Amino acid sequence: MDPASSPHHVVVVGAGFGGLEATRNLTGAPVRITIIDRRNHHLFQPLLYQVATTSLATSEIAWPIRQLLRNREDVTTLLGTVTGVDPAGKRVLMEDGEAIPYDTLVLATGARHAYFGHDEWEPYAPGLKTLEDATTIRRRILMAFEKAERETDPERRRARLTFVIIGGGPTGVELAGTIAELAHDTLPREFRNIDTREARVVLIEAGERVLSAFVPAQSAYAKSALEKLGVEVELGRAVSECNAQGVVYGGQHLPAKTIIWAAGVAASPAAEWLGASADRAGRVMVEPDLTVAGHPEIFVIGDTAHVTTPEGKPVPGVAPAAKQQGWHIAATIKARLKGGSSVRPFRYKNDGNLATIGKRAAVIDFGWIKLNGRIAWWLWGLAHIYFLIGLRNRLSVALSWLWIYTTGQRSARLITQGSAQTPAKPK
Amino acid sequence: MDPASSPHHVVVVGAGFGGLEATRNLTGAPVRITIIDRRNHHLFQPLLYQVATTSLATSEIAWPIRQLLRNREDVTTLLGTVTGVDPAGKRVLMEDGEAIPYDTLVLATGARHAYFGHDEWEPYAPGLKTLEDATTIRRRILMAFEKAERETDPERRRARLTFVIIGGGPTGVELAGTIAELAHDTLPREFRNIDTREARVVLIEAGERVLSAFVPAQSAYAKSALEKLGVEVELGRAVSECNAQGVVYGGQHLPAKTIIWAAGVAASPAAEWLGASADRAGRVMVEPDLTVAGHPEIFVIGDTAHVTTPEGKPVPGVAPAAKQQGWHIAATIKARLKGGSSVRPFRYKNDGNLATIGKRAAVIDFGWIKLNGRIAWWLWGLAHIYFLIGLRNRLSVALSWLWIYTTGQRSARLITQGSAQTPAKPK
């Protein structure tokens, strides 16, 4: 912590996949690092939908950032909210008024779901980016069945048992498949007035196919796997309205009390902080070495950066891309500190695409091989357990999945509220 | 569900230990049962303090009530809030206006923490009865260390690192011991500006000893075990004030930003619903067979009933007592339906008292044998794993404890809020 002994101060904002990987790969470099996040935990977002659908507990996919970095004496972890950057003064501005000076700045602040000019839809169609989002969606899904059980009007009961997922990317597909399994495998026999198997799960995608990052044949496979689970897949229809009664899509009104938004994300306000040029989703247009034009000391990575492949295609907003970028800029920082000045452009290596549909099917595209079905599902599961951090969570998630796979029972079916109740009044 | 085929309708309010045990022991009886709870889950309260202190995840100690009873076709589970009872009309009144008729009523509605005329203390000294309470306390404990890390004023930092637990019963002792371990075993090396081992954990008890349900020698052992963990035990001093600055006890002010209330409970308003006589804590004064005077068809059990042993001592508000009462009234109901009319008085069988102090020590009093120390701790752990429901949660809790025991790391160190965040605004 003595500034004289390690003068170069790297500030990393955001402890997601990108920020954490950058920090890790600066191990041994002659720097001191401050990593700032407004959450105390790193979140394994690829499995967040499993918390929302009662398969996993919150603590199985989240780790305290301090704990992950506790052996790194060169790293200080700060829980706090960044509200801006002063590029001229080289300072990060915090909500509480503090200003943290940096020599090198890494902005890895991620993205939030976005409603493309329809923020008024949010109360009716929550999105899925944080643990709180996941427990909110979990509560809504479970409460829908509870309310349907006590509803006597058949039409209103039908609306309670209709689940709409907007967006046919991996998150939308995974949510739709798991909600269908919840209704068909987990919940039947528990209710006395409703048959949960009558629940409708409707996946609405504005484009012509689901999982558009995959080849058309795999999209078609995913669609048919969803339909086998009982999901209704509606393609080529955009949603024009979400409200308390349901959704309007393709001009048609569907009464539905539970709507989940998996359609769009917008970058964090990093571009605004920097006054940098951004794409339509708010992502910073970075240089080939992931720095900001005119500021070689500022890197932007992950979901908040707009990066293109040498072929001109956008690098997808997925965990492996963020990690590769974190690794890349750590190497750049280390090379610079050794006196190097060459600008190495970032090159995205597509290690493959994976998406799962329920507990039996998945699609995998490794480029050289494409797999659909049960073997793909097992590979998907092994890959995700491998990418979890630490033996503890690997064992725990493996146990949870084994249980669901063999019994159909999900362990995290809790309806919890945010605030504590008022105490009882003693006499 | 056909009233003609099973005319006798038992309504059980509350799916805690008592209500669930009554329902289970009515298996095969010629009744139909409706079990009502305002939560969707049965909670294993003896381990709730472990959620509050980051050792266990919420889903490890809670089970969906519907799932527990899914094979019981005679049981209907209702998620809803009871607001009253109409004993003359034999109906349970629900918040939503519904009235549910019963032939036999079982009130097993439990207790809440109570501040004995000082409800204004609650915002500063939350109590521990629900999962939401536990995640609130967990957030406060973790945030105290986070805020201390960023506090530059030594006095204010000291207040941030002072944890006060009010009440020296099992919950208070367990909380104090675990918070001390968190500060001494789990968190050191993770902070850069504070030494978490300097945290003060103060346990305040108005009586002359902790764990007053045990013999004095075991109370003394528990006190010394707590002190070995670094807990300051303050006996014979009542708290006269809780506020944002700290507590006043024995006339002395202690600056503390984290206060937890483990001192008192009050029964649910069952006595008010019935217009029945109650003790000072609001518990219904029941007849020897656990019915309400003048209403042989209404049973009150568990923490909301005032029951005495034949020696005139009050039956303690613990899980085994509630379960025994649930078992007893199920037997009474079955005997009545067979035409019996004899009133069997309930007799409490004390199977023993257990309390744990951190991860190495416990006290056990089985009557015929009393144990302190490490062997007691292992017995405590095995007993609690045994009493958990289902293999899934037994494996999961065993894994969590094994991990804490061997590594000192706790897996549920998450700071989460109640509500979801607002979405990002796309450009």
Side-chain angles (χ1 to χ4, degrees):
Chain A
M1 287 292 287
D2 177 10
S5 65
S6 65
H8 195 92
H9 186 206
V10 179
V11 172
V12 178
V13 185
F17 290 107
L20 209 53
E21 189 76 2
T23 305
R24 285 186 164 160
N25 285 288
L26 285 170
T27 305
V31 294
R32 66 189 177 93
I33 302 171
T34 300
I35 187 163
I36 308 172
D37 201 295
R38 58 182 175 175
R39 303 284 171 157
N40 85 322
H41 50 269
H42 168 74
L43 182 64
F44 193 81
Q45 276 191 356
L47 292 178
L48 192 56
Y49 80 96
Q50 297 220 350
V51 173
T53 53
T54 80
S55 302
L56 293 177
T58 50
S59 55
E60 289 181 309
I61 60 161
W63 299 258
I65 299 159
R66 292 190 183 286
Q67 184 188 343
L68 296 175
L69 298 169
R70 71 186 182 285
N71 294 331
R72 290 285 300 278
E73 288 183 11
D74 55 329
V75 178
T76 300
T77 304
L78 218 61
L79 176 69
T81 302
V82 171
T83 53
V85 174
D86 168 14
K90 290 192 175 180
R91 299 181 312 160
V92 169
L93 309 174
M94 307 290 292
E95 196 176 44
D96 61 5
E98 205 178 333
I100 297 167
Y102 62 81
D103 297 304
T104 295
L105 177 62
V106 179
L107 294 175
T109 42
R112 282 289 293 164
H113 45 274
Y115 294 85
F116 309 123
H118 288 286
D119 281 1
E120 73 275 12
W121 293 354
E122 211 220 357
Y124 314 108
L128 184 61
K129 274 283 171 190
T130 67
L131 284 182
E132 285 84 354
D133 293 342
T135 48
T136 297
I137 290 174
R138 181 174 78 186
R139 176 169 67 239
R140 290 202 186 189
I141 293 171
L142 294 173
M143 279 306 292
F145 290 102
E146 295 291 342
K147 287 185 175 164
E149 170 83 350
R150 298 195 61 191
E151 178 62 65
T152 48
D153 178 80
E155 237 175 80
R156 283 203 293 263
R157 181 186 284 186
R158 192 98 191 120
R160 293 265 179 226
L161 288 177
T162 302
F163 298 85
V164 172
I165 295 95
I166 303 172
T171 298
V173 167
E174 288 164 340
L175 281 169
T178 317
I179 294 171
E181 284 184 343
L182 196 62
H184 288 85
D185 291 2
T186 306
L187 297 181
R189 297 177 53 210
E190 297 193 10
F191 292 83
R192 299 295 173 253
N193 299 322
I194 58 170
D195 183 346
T196 62
R197 287 166 297 189
E198 288 175 5
R200 287 180 69 188
V201 182
V202 183
L203 178 67
I204 303 175
E205 163 59 39
E208 287 307 319
R209 57 195 180 95
V210 295
L211 300 181
S212 59
F214 291 79
V215 296
Q218 290 190 300
S219 295
Y221 170 82
K223 180 169 181 281
S224 90
L226 283 168
E227 287 166 347
K228 247 181 230 163
L229 291 173
V231 177
E232 303 167 38
V233 182
E234 299 277 7
L235 299 174
R237 310 225 215 158
V239 169
S240 56
E241 177 66 28
C242 295
N243 56 41
Q245 276 70 51
V247 295
V248 178
Y249 69 100
Q252 165 194 355
H253 179 252
L254 174 63
K257 286 289 184 185
T258 311
I259 311 169
I260 306 173
W261 186 259
V265 295
S268 66
E272 288 173 32
W273 297 344
L274 301 170
S277 58
D279 67 9
R280 266 173 20 119
R283 289 177 298 199
V284 176
M285 308 297 293
V286 292
E287 301 293 297
D289 63 350
L290 306 176
T291 61
V292 176
H295 286 287
E297 76 284 7
I298 303 181
F299 296 89
V300 183
I301 60 174
D303 285 359
T304 202
H306 179 104
V307 188
T308 48
T309 63
E311 302 83 47
K313 284 173 70 176
V315 171
V318 295
K323 285 168 107 168
Q324 288 176 29
Q325 292 169 18
W327 190 92
H328 181 85
I329 62 158
T332 303
I333 293 168
K334 285 194 277 192
R336 283 185 188 170
L337 289 169
K338 282 186 183 151
S341 63
S342 71
V343 174
R344 291 192 320 145
F346 170 74
R347 283 185 195 285
Y348 173 58
K349 183 169 169 293
N350 185 352
D351 290 329
N353 270 325
L354 297 80
T356 178
I357 310 113
K359 67 175 188 179
R360 296 271 189 286
V363 291
I364 291 182
D365 179 357
F366 285 141
W368 55 276
I369 189 170
K370 297 186 200 326
L371 286 171
N372 300 338
R374 193 170 292 215
I375 292 172
W377 186 87
W378 281 99
L379 282 174
W380 174 91
L382 288 173
H384 280 76
I385 285 175
Y386 174 79
F387 283 116
L388 289 172
I389 300 172
L391 181 61
R392 168 77 182 78
N393 283 37
R394 286 181 188 143
L395 287 173
S396 181
V397 170
L399 174 65
S400 294
W401 286 351
L402 188 69
W403 209 259
I404 294 165
Y405 195 81
T406 54
T407 69
Q409 289 306 322
R410 292 158 204 274
S411 60
R413 278 173 46 202
L414 302 179
I415 299 175
T416 48
Q417 307 291 334
S419 56
Q421 290 188 312
T422 49
K425 290 213 172 80
K427 306 289 120 56
Chain B
M1 286 291 288
D2 176 10
S5 65
S6 66
H8 195 93
H9 185 207
V10 179
V11 172
V12 178
V13 184
F17 289 106
L20 210 53
E21 191 75 3
T23 305
R24 286 185 164 160
N25 286 290
L26 285 170
T27 305
V31 295
R32 66 189 176 92
I33 302 171
T34 300
I35 187 163
I36 308 172
D37 201 294
R38 56 183 177 174
R39 303 284 171 157
N40 85 322
H41 49 268
H42 168 74
L43 182 62
F44 193 80
Q45 275 192 356
L47 291 178
L48 192 56
Y49 81 96
Q50 295 221 350
V51 174
T53 52
T54 79
S55 301
L56 293 177
T58 51
S59 54
E60 289 179 310
I61 60 160
W63 300 258
I65 299 160
R66 293 190 180 289
Q67 184 188 343
L68 296 176
L69 298 169
R70 70 187 183 283
N71 294 331
R72 289 284 299 278
E73 289 183 11
D74 55 329
V75 178
T76 300
T77 304
L78 217 61
L79 177 69
T81 301
V82 170
T83 52
V85 174
D86 168 15
K90 289 191 176 182
R91 299 181 313 160
V92 170
L93 310 174
M94 306 289 293
E95 196 176 43
D96 62 3
E98 206 178 331
I100 296 167
Y102 61 82
D103 297 304
T104 294
L105 175 63
V106 178
L107 294 175
T109 43
R112 283 287 296 161
H113 44 274
Y115 293 85
F116 309 123
H118 287 286
D119 281 1
E120 73 275 13
W121 294 353
E122 210 220 358
Y124 313 108
L128 184 61
K129 274 283 170 189
T130 67
L131 284 182
E132 286 84 354
D133 293 342
T135 49
T136 298
I137 290 174
R138 181 174 79 185
R139 176 168 68 240
R140 291 203 186 188
I141 293 171
L142 295 173
M143 280 305 292
F145 290 103
E146 295 291 343
K147 287 186 174 162
E149 170 83 349
R150 298 194 63 191
E151 179 61 65
T152 48
D153 178 80
E155 238 175 79
R156 283 204 292 263
R157 181 186 284 183
R158 192 97 190 120
R160 293 267 180 226
L161 287 177
T162 302
F163 299 84
V164 172
I165 295 95
I166 302 172
T171 298
V173 166
E174 287 164 341
L175 282 169
T178 317
I179 294 171
E181 283 184 343
L182 196 63
H184 289 86
D185 292 1
T186 306
L187 297 181
R189 296 175 56 209
E190 296 193 11
F191 291 82
R192 298 295 173 255
N193 299 322
I194 57 169
D195 183 346
T196 62
R197 287 167 296 191
E198 289 175 6
R200 287 179 69 188
V201 182
V202 183
L203 178 67
I204 303 174
E205 163 58 40
E208 286 306 318
R209 55 193 181 98
V210 297
L211 301 181
S212 58
F214 291 79
V215 295
Q218 289 190 302
S219 295
Y221 171 81
K223 179 168 183 282
S224 90
L226 283 168
E227 286 167 346
K228 246 181 229 163
L229 292 173
V231 176
E232 303 167 38
V233 182
E234 299 277 8
L235 298 175
R237 310 227 215 158
V239 169
S240 55
E241 176 66 28
C242 294
N243 56 40
Q245 275 70 50
V247 294
V248 178
Y249 69 100
Q252 162 194 0
H253 179 254
L254 174 64
K257 285 290 184 184
T258 311
I259 310 170
I260 307 173
W261 186 260
V265 295
S268 67
E272 288 173 34
W273 296 345
L274 300 171
S277 59
D279 67 8
R280 264 168 28 112
R283 289 177 297 198
V284 176
M285 308 297 294
V286 292
E287 301 292 298
D289 62 350
L290 306 176
T291 60
V292 176
H295 286 287
E297 76 284 7
I298 303 180
F299 295 89
V300 183
I301 60 174
D303 286 359
T304 203
H306 179 104
V307 188
T308 47
T309 63
E311 301 83 47
K313 284 174 73 178
V315 171
V318 295
K323 285 168 106 168
Q324 289 176 27
Q325 292 169 19
W327 189 93
H328 181 85
I329 63 159
T332 303
I333 293 168
K334 285 194 278 192
R336 284 185 188 170
L337 289 169
K338 281 187 184 149
S341 64
S342 70
V343 173
R344 291 194 320 145
F346 169 74
R347 284 187 195 281
Y348 174 57
K349 181 168 170 296
N350 184 352
D351 290 328
N353 270 325
L354 296 80
T356 177
I357 309 115
K359 67 176 188 179
R360 296 269 187 289
V363 290
I364 291 183
D365 179 357
F366 285 140
W368 56 277
I369 189 171
K370 298 186 199 327
L371 285 172
N372 301 338
R374 193 169 290 214
I375 291 172
W377 186 87
W378 281 99
L379 281 175
W380 174 91
L382 288 174
H384 281 75
I385 286 176
Y386 174 80
F387 283 115
L388 290 171
I389 300 171
L391 182 61
R392 168 79 182 78
N393 282 39
R394 286 180 188 145
L395 286 173
S396 182
V397 171
L399 175 64
S400 294
W401 286 351
L402 188 69
W403 210 259
I404 294 166
Y405 196 81
T406 54
T407 70
Q409 289 305 320
R410 292 158 204 274
S411 60
R413 279 174 45 203
L414 302 179
I415 299 174
T416 49
Q417 307 291 334
S419 56
Q421 291 189 311
T422 48
K425 290 211 170 83
K427 306 291 121 54

